[in-house]
Amino acid sequence: MAAAVSYPPQPWHLAGHAYASVWRVPEAELPPLPEGTRPAVVGGSATVVTAWIDYQPPGQLSYSELLATVTLAAAKPTATITDIWVDSEVSLAGGRELWGIPKDLAVFDFSPGRTFTATAATGSDWIATAAFSDRFGLPLRVPAAFEIVQTLGGALCRTPVRARSAARLASARWNLNPSGALGFLASRTPVLSLHLPGFELHFGQV
């Protein structure tokens, strides 16, 4: 099915708003990682980042997303996407075929405003809900560069990512399905949450 969907060639140029939380998880409780990679572990725990993302114009694609990444041990900032849901067949097909990103489909409900709320569910079960409230923001737009590593065609696929965004500290309340893919976070509290308004993202090889 995915092979029949047309999607833009890489790199993808995307824009929108994101709400992210950072978690510390014991290494033994992490989801499976690509063969040949290992998590960056400090004090027995690794860093997991979850994010709700609302992709909008002027980016090439418009869709909603929920993802979880694990930071990897590497010479430069590197992560792998362990779980990800989108509401776009185009994004799903391109993500799987270009970069080996294990995207699945879900239904989202985003409510922007003073408090951003979000829900995600598949046809069979709910995944997560969350509410974010801004605390204060940084005045500058900060650039970032990192690499996403996935398995594609039986080998590691390394994808460069460049991003630019302002950042606002936020408070966040998550409710995660303990029986779902993100259940390993269900009993935990984020150590940091951010609102990234008006980001620009360049994903993929030039």
Side-chain angles (χ1 to χ4, degrees):
M1 293 290 291
V5 178
S6 177
Y7 47 80
Q10 61 176 319
W12 287 4
H13 304 289
L14 303 171
H17 305 276
Y19 296 82
S21 290
V22 179
W23 315 69
R24 295 291 291 165
V25 178
E27 182 178 8
E29 299 179 29
L30 293 172
L33 305 180
E35 185 175 354
T37 68
R38 57 188 178 88
V41 176
V42 177
S45 293
T47 298
V48 174
V49 179
T50 54
W52 303 88
I53 306 177
D54 185 9
Y55 294 103
Q56 301 175 355
Q60 289 175 285
L61 299 174
S62 297
Y63 62 97
S64 301
E65 181 174 274
L66 170 63
L67 60 78
T69 71
V70 176
T71 301
L72 299 179
K76 57 184 177 181
T78 304
T80 188
I81 299 171
T82 58
D83 299 281
I84 180 170
W85 297 267
V86 297
D87 61 359
S88 163
E89 292 276 6
V90 173
S91 174
L92 182 147
R96 289 183 179 181
E97 295 174 22
L98 291 173
W99 307 297
I101 298 173
K103 295 186 178 184
D104 287 313
L105 290 176
V107 176
F108 294 85
D109 183 11
F110 287 174
S111 295
R114 189 178 185 88
T115 296
F116 168 82
T117 61
T119 66
T122 65
S124 59
D125 206 355
W126 68 285
I127 303 167
T129 68
F132 284 73
S133 298
D134 285 5
R135 293 168 59 187
F136 59 87
L138 302 178
L140 300 177
R141 293 178 64 79
V142 180
F146 54 96
E147 198 169 66
I148 294 294
V149 176
Q150 306 295 144
T151 302
L152 178 65
L156 291 180
C157 175
R158 300 181 180 275
T159 302
V161 183
R162 292 182 294 112
R164 181 180 292 272
S165 178
R168 297 175 183 169
L169 287 176
S171 59
R173 301 186 309 276
W174 285 79
N175 186 21
L176 298 129
N177 185 343
S179 300
L182 301 182
F184 69 101
L185 298 173
S187 62
R188 306 185 187 282
T189 300
V191 298
L192 175 69
S193 293
L194 297 169
H195 173 199
L196 305 172
F199 70 79
E200 300 171 3
L201 184 70
H202 303 277
F203 197 104
Q205 302 283 352
V206 176

